[in-house]
Amino acid sequence: MNEQTKKPNSVSKPERIRLDGDIPREYNKYYGKIATAYKAAKFSLLALLLCYLVVIMVRYRSYITYDNLMYLIRDFDTDVAFSGSDFSDITYDDGGDSMRFGIYKDRLCVVSSSDATFYNTAGSSELRCPGTGNGPALYTGDKYAMVCDIGGTSYYIYNTVARVLSKNADGQIQSAAMSDSGVYSLVTRGKENRYVVTIYDDSFRETTKIYKDKYVVAAALDSAGERYVVVSCEINSADFVCEVMSGACNSDVSKNLTFNGYLPLSVSCFKNGSFAVVCDTGALFFSKEGELIREYKYSADSLLLADNSDGALLLTLGENIVASRTRLVLFDTEGNVTREISVDGKITAAALGDGGIFYVCRSELFRVLPDGETLSTECPSDTRELVAYMDNVIVCGETSAATGFKDGGADNSNKSDNAANTENTENTENTET
């Protein structure tokens, strides 16, 4: 038998080609013309930009100011992610009795007589601006945050980047309001009239002036900044007379209603455009058009605290002269009582949020869930204010702030004693009209 010998396959080696000269490139006349045109346009635009900057610097250099730069960045915001409903512990300086707290774009605003500071959910200071006045008041919306010096003339507007406006009003500031759209109002002392309510658009331009000879307690704007409410009072025959004025910001037509025996204290607008006026002896609920819907009366000197959300109003009332027993009353936008809770003890702070009703009693923080369940946890004894944030609450003390219920209250809260907190459905001392 013949054997065939298999030869391994031969592998050819790569062939190297040496290029001694440049490879000629093909030239396209059409694309060459386009490239030349773009090149000419580029240098022309650069020359125009240079001429524009020279003209601006020579002719309009007086307008190149810090305030104008801040005006240009009023719509800029930082986009920092936030960690749900929990704030890390925050430490700040004690600002005395003038400290104010609020939420602005997932930041905790802490305002004192020395500065305004914005803290993110990680507990870090993102923005600190000195100078707020001796009697600062804080007003927040979806677009801006505003700090006014009550009794002074200065006020300041912030976004998350910087203080975008520093301005002095024409008279002493008595009150203010900030809408979600950025439209805001100032209540100031007037020269010819006793008070002047001035409304500004979101570009800080004056749009409406309202002159009042009565004592203006407060003003409010709806979330869109399209309608206003002005609450004032006077004394007639040794009795208070409350006047509620409402209308559209771009119209001279207004609706005025008067109520005898009421001293107005505050006014707040709901998300649907209706509003409520809290007085010393009762709460008045109005429709968007300014028509009275319902009155809720209570005894004099019983009102302790009041808070509102987009669709509800919360009142804290003392049930006796020393407020050793208090009552929480929750209303909807039409003035209907949706919940009433009696508490054995004095409530020192209360807030209404998405997660229910929060209140402090005897150094303990309580949370009443929408289904009626009540949770509780320890609370610092120096608590000054509760600030609702998402479905939780921030407990603000003299020198620090922290989330009330960590992780939504699943781990550090207990069900409260039913003997201390009971819900009442009947109220013989209060009357509704």
Side-chain angles (χ1 to χ4, degrees):
M1 177 180 284
N2 295 328
E3 295 182 357
Q4 296 180 353
T5 305
K6 295 182 179 180
K7 296 181 179 180
N9 296 331
S10 60
V11 179
S12 60
K13 296 181 179 181
E15 183 179 359
R16 295 183 179 179
I17 300 176
R18 183 182 179 87
L19 299 176
D20 294 332
D22 295 334
I23 299 177
R25 296 180 180 179
E26 296 183 2
Y27 179 76
N28 191 306
K29 294 182 179 180
Y30 172 74
Y31 289 108
K33 291 180 179 180
I34 293 179
T36 302
Y38 274 108
K39 188 175 181 180
K42 179 183 71 172
F43 286 108
S44 299
L45 290 175
L46 289 175
L48 288 175
L49 177 61
L50 181 61
C51 293
Y52 173 77
L53 294 176
V54 171
V55 171
I56 291 297
M57 294 295 294
V58 172
R59 188 171 180 179
Y60 301 102
R61 59 184 177 183
S62 61
Y63 294 94
I64 304 175
T65 62
Y66 175 81
D67 291 338
N68 289 340
L69 176 63
M70 292 299 101
Y71 180 81
L72 291 176
I73 68 171
R74 69 188 188 278
D75 293 325
F76 286 77
D77 282 308
T78 58
D79 187 15
V80 179
F82 58 92
S83 57
S85 60
D86 285 352
F87 265 81
S88 298
D89 292 349
I90 298 172
T91 302
Y92 44 80
D93 296 331
D94 185 8
D97 296 334
S98 62
M99 294 189 71
R100 299 293 181 266
F101 307 91
I103 291 292
Y104 171 63
K105 291 189 176 182
D106 303 313
R107 281 88 172 167
L108 175 66
C109 308
V110 180
V111 179
S112 66
S113 57
S114 59
D115 56 37
T117 309
F118 296 76
Y119 297 92
N120 57 27
T121 54
S124 302
S125 171
E126 286 191 356
L127 177 65
R128 183 188 296 269
C129 297
T132 55
N134 296 324
L138 175 65
Y139 306 89
T140 61
D142 287 347
K143 188 170 184 178
Y144 299 127
M146 178 170 63
V147 176
C148 299
D149 182 13
I150 303 300
T153 60
S154 60
Y155 70 96
Y156 312 93
I157 294 181
Y158 306 82
N159 64 7
T160 57
V161 177
R163 176 187 286 174
V164 297
L165 180 68
S166 300
K167 197 172 181 180
N168 288 323
D170 295 333
Q172 288 184 344
I173 300 174
Q174 306 298 308
S175 179
M178 174 64 73
S179 69
D180 289 338
S181 64
V183 176
Y184 67 96
S185 66
L186 293 175
V187 179
T188 59
R189 296 297 298 266
K191 297 179 180 179
E192 298 180 357
N193 299 81
R194 183 175 294 180
Y195 289 93
V196 180
V197 181
T198 308
I199 301 176
Y200 302 83
D201 64 12
D202 59 350
S203 296
F204 317 141
R205 295 172 298 195
E206 180 184 312
T207 60
T208 306
K209 271 187 178 296
I210 302 170
Y211 299 93
K212 302 289 291 185
D213 286 325
K214 299 178 181 179
Y215 178 79
V216 177
V217 177
L221 297 167
D222 65 356
S223 60
E226 297 175 351
R227 297 187 64 84
Y228 67 86
V229 183
V230 177
V231 179
S232 58
C233 72
E234 64 179 354
I235 298 178
N236 187 8
S237 299
D239 198 3
F240 290 108
V241 179
C242 171
E243 181 186 81
V244 180
M245 177 182 181
S246 61
C249 294
N250 57 355
S251 174
D252 295 333
V253 180
S254 62
K255 189 173 185 62
N256 295 268
L257 297 177
T258 58
F259 304 90
N260 295 325
Y262 286 110
L263 173 63
L265 301 175
S266 65
V267 57
S268 56
C269 290
F270 301 115
K271 201 71 172 181
N272 61 2
S274 61
F275 58 94
V277 178
V278 178
C279 303
D280 61 335
T281 57
L284 308 175
F285 295 85
F286 299 84
S287 66
K288 180 179 179 180
E289 293 74 22
E291 297 289 348
L292 178 66
I293 301 176
R294 184 169 282 105
E295 296 181 53
Y296 183 89
K297 297 182 180 179
Y298 39 81
S299 58
D301 300 328
S302 62
L303 179 65
L304 299 177
L305 301 167
D307 193 22
N308 68 285
S309 64
D310 290 339
L313 174 70
L314 177 67
L315 297 181
T316 304
L317 305 173
E319 294 188 349
N320 51 43
I321 192 171
V322 295
S324 61
R325 188 170 183 85
T326 50
R327 184 172 70 256
L328 294 164
V329 185
L330 183 65
F331 304 87
D332 61 12
T333 58
E334 296 182 352
N336 299 311
V337 178
T338 59
R339 174 161 293 173
E340 194 165 354
I341 304 171
S342 183
V343 179
D344 186 13
K346 184 177 181 180
I347 295 177
T348 56
L352 181 61
D354 296 338
I357 301 172
F358 301 88
Y359 65 92
V360 176
C361 181
R362 295 176 179 174
S363 298
E364 194 170 4
L365 175 64
F366 294 89
R367 175 182 181 182
V368 183
L369 300 175
D371 60 2
E373 182 182 2
T374 301
L375 306 177
S376 65
T377 187
E378 294 181 357
C379 183
S381 58
D382 64 344
T383 299
R384 290 190 174 188
E385 190 174 340
L386 298 181
V387 179
Y389 175 66
M390 299 183 68
D391 61 348
N392 214 317
V393 70
I394 303 174
V395 181
C396 302
E398 294 181 357
T399 58
S400 62
T403 301
F405 291 88
K406 302 293 184 180
D407 300 325
D411 298 331
N412 66 334
S413 60
N414 303 305
K415 290 185 178 180
S416 64
D417 187 1
N418 291 332
N421 302 283
T422 59
E423 293 195 17
N424 300 328
T425 57
E426 297 181 356
N427 182 14
T428 58
E429 296 181 359
N430 300 289
T431 61
E432 296 185 9
T433 302

